[in-house]
């Protein structure tokens, strides 16, 4: 009787470790890394709450002294974005991973006055949005916000939209453009001004682009904005 009870308990413990050890969200965060941002929501339309996390390495050797303008120290630890699909048994599987520099480090050695660009991640209506802010504490008046919109289709996260909003802190002059990669249409707004109502005379223009390439979350790199902007300018 005792042996049978011990056997049942052993099986239960093994199953518990399997279900809640490597396959829960924390199981995808390696030793020496930490989660710095997360979002929850259904991404593959199965009525289960998926999770997107950004993890960052915690190596003190990557915290370096800054001899130029900006913060006293720069955090150059790499970041990785993980998309985890929830299963019916409440465990998770890895659906997408980007470790190619799309999510930049908090500090930038080439632009030390650039603030941490990662702003927000959100999930709504099966859509994943990743927002970045580009703000330099010294050396530039320009402020830019970029939002990438992804949808899970064709068994991968494809970029279906990109929004760019930029303005000058000194003059208030503002420009915007929005690309719909599903329709290959671009809306461009120029002549705006966020600080002077009289000077705020936005003009809207539409154009069609030839975006034959499908941008996928796993393959996005740090220079993706420059590539996308070529469709507009």
């Amino acid at each position: 009787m005792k042996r049978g009870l011990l056997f049942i308990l052993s099986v239960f413990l093994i199953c518990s470790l399997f279900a809640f050890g490597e396959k829960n969200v924390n199981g995808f965060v390696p030793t020496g890394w930490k989660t710095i941002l997360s979002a929850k929501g259904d991404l593959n339309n199965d009525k289960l709450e998926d999770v997107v996390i950004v993890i960052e390495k915690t190596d003190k050797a990557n915290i370096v002294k800054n001899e130029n303008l900006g913060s006293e120290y720069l955090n150059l630890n790499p970041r990785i974005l993980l998309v985890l699909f929830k299963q019916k048994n409440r465990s998770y599987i890895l659906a997408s991973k980007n470790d190619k520099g799309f999510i930049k480090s908090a500090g930038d050695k080439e632009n030390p006055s650039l603030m941490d660009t990662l702003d927000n991640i959100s999930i709504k209506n099966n859509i994943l949005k990743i927002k970045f802010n580009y703000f330099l504490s010294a050396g530039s008046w320009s402020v830019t916000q970029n939002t990438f919109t992804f949808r899970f289709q064709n068994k991968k996260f494809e970029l279906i939209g990109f929004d760019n909003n930029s303005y000058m802190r000194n003059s208030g002059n503002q420009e915007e453009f929005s690309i719909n990669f599903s329709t290959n249409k671009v809306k461009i707004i120029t002549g705006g001004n966020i600080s002077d109502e009289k000077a705020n005379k936005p003009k809207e223009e539409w154009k069609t682009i030839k975006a034959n390439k499908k941008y996928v979350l796993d393959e996005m790199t740090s220079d993706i904005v420059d590539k996308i902007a070529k469709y507009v300018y």
Side-chain angles (χ1 to χ4, degrees):
M1 183 70 180
K2 290 183 178 180
R3 289 183 178 180
L5 182 59
L6 287 172
F7 176 78
I8 293 173
L9 288 173
S10 298
V11 172
F12 175 79
L13 288 172
I14 291 172
C15 292
S16 297
L17 288 171
F18 178 77
F20 300 106
E22 289 299 320
K23 289 194 173 183
N24 63 12
V25 174
N26 291 332
F28 290 91
V29 183
T31 301
W33 291 70
K34 65 179 180 180
T35 300
I36 61 169
L37 193 62
S38 65
K40 294 182 179 181
D42 183 10
L43 286 167
N44 55 347
N45 202 25
D46 63 356
K47 311 303 181 184
L48 297 174
E49 191 176 61
D50 307 309
V51 178
V52 178
I53 61 175
V54 175
I55 61 175
E56 180 182 84
K57 198 170 184 180
T58 57
D59 189 348
K60 292 182 179 179
N62 289 326
I63 309 294
V64 300
K65 180 76 173 178
N66 177 29
E67 304 295 341
N68 301 298
L69 294 173
S71 302
E72 183 178 359
Y73 291 92
L74 299 175
N75 181 1
L76 304 180
N77 276 295
R79 292 170 169 178
I80 297 175
L81 183 141
L82 303 174
V83 180
L84 310 175
F85 280 169
K86 191 172 186 177
Q87 306 299 290
K88 290 183 179 180
N89 64 358
R90 297 185 180 181
S91 64
Y92 292 86
I93 60 171
L94 181 64
S96 180
K97 175 181 179 180
N98 186 289
D99 57 0
K100 295 177 170 56
F102 176 55
I103 309 294
K104 295 182 178 181
S105 300
D108 190 318
K109 208 168 186 178
E110 295 183 2
N111 298 289
S113 62
L114 179 65
M115 309 297 286
D116 189 350
T117 59
L118 182 59
D119 183 353
N120 185 45
I121 295 176
S122 62
I123 300 172
K124 185 178 181 181
N125 298 328
N126 310 125
I127 297 296
L128 169 64
K129 287 182 178 287
I130 305 175
K131 183 179 178 181
F132 299 92
N133 279 329
Y134 298 87
F135 179 95
L136 282 84
S137 60
S140 174
W141 292 106
S142 178
V143 178
T144 301
Q145 297 176 341
N146 290 329
T147 302
F148 295 83
T149 302
F150 297 91
R151 181 168 57 209
F152 187 68
Q153 55 191 30
N154 302 316
K155 297 182 179 181
K156 52 193 172 184
F157 282 92
E158 294 184 354
L159 182 69
I160 61 170
F162 176 76
D163 295 281
N164 172 283
N165 185 320
S166 61
Y167 65 91
M168 301 298 293
R169 284 180 287 163
N170 55 345
S171 66
N173 291 336
Q174 181 183 30
E175 293 184 354
E176 303 175 59
F177 69 83
S178 179
I179 304 178
N180 186 325
F181 286 102
S182 297
T183 62
N184 280 343
K185 298 289 186 180
V186 182
K187 180 173 72 173
I188 304 171
I189 300 177
T190 57
N193 193 292
I194 64 171
S195 57
D196 187 341
E197 187 175 344
K198 292 182 178 180
N200 185 33
K201 299 178 181 179
K203 295 180 181 180
E204 184 178 302
E205 173 191 358
W206 286 84
K207 64 185 293 187
T208 301
I209 61 173
K210 293 183 179 180
N212 297 320
K213 177 180 174 58
K214 294 292 185 181
Y215 294 100
V216 179
L217 179 58
D218 295 43
E219 303 168 358
M220 305 283 275
T221 54
S222 59
D223 62 346
I224 189 65
V225 174
D226 295 333
K227 295 178 181 178
I228 292 175
K230 291 180 181 179
Y231 290 121
V232 180
Y233 303 111

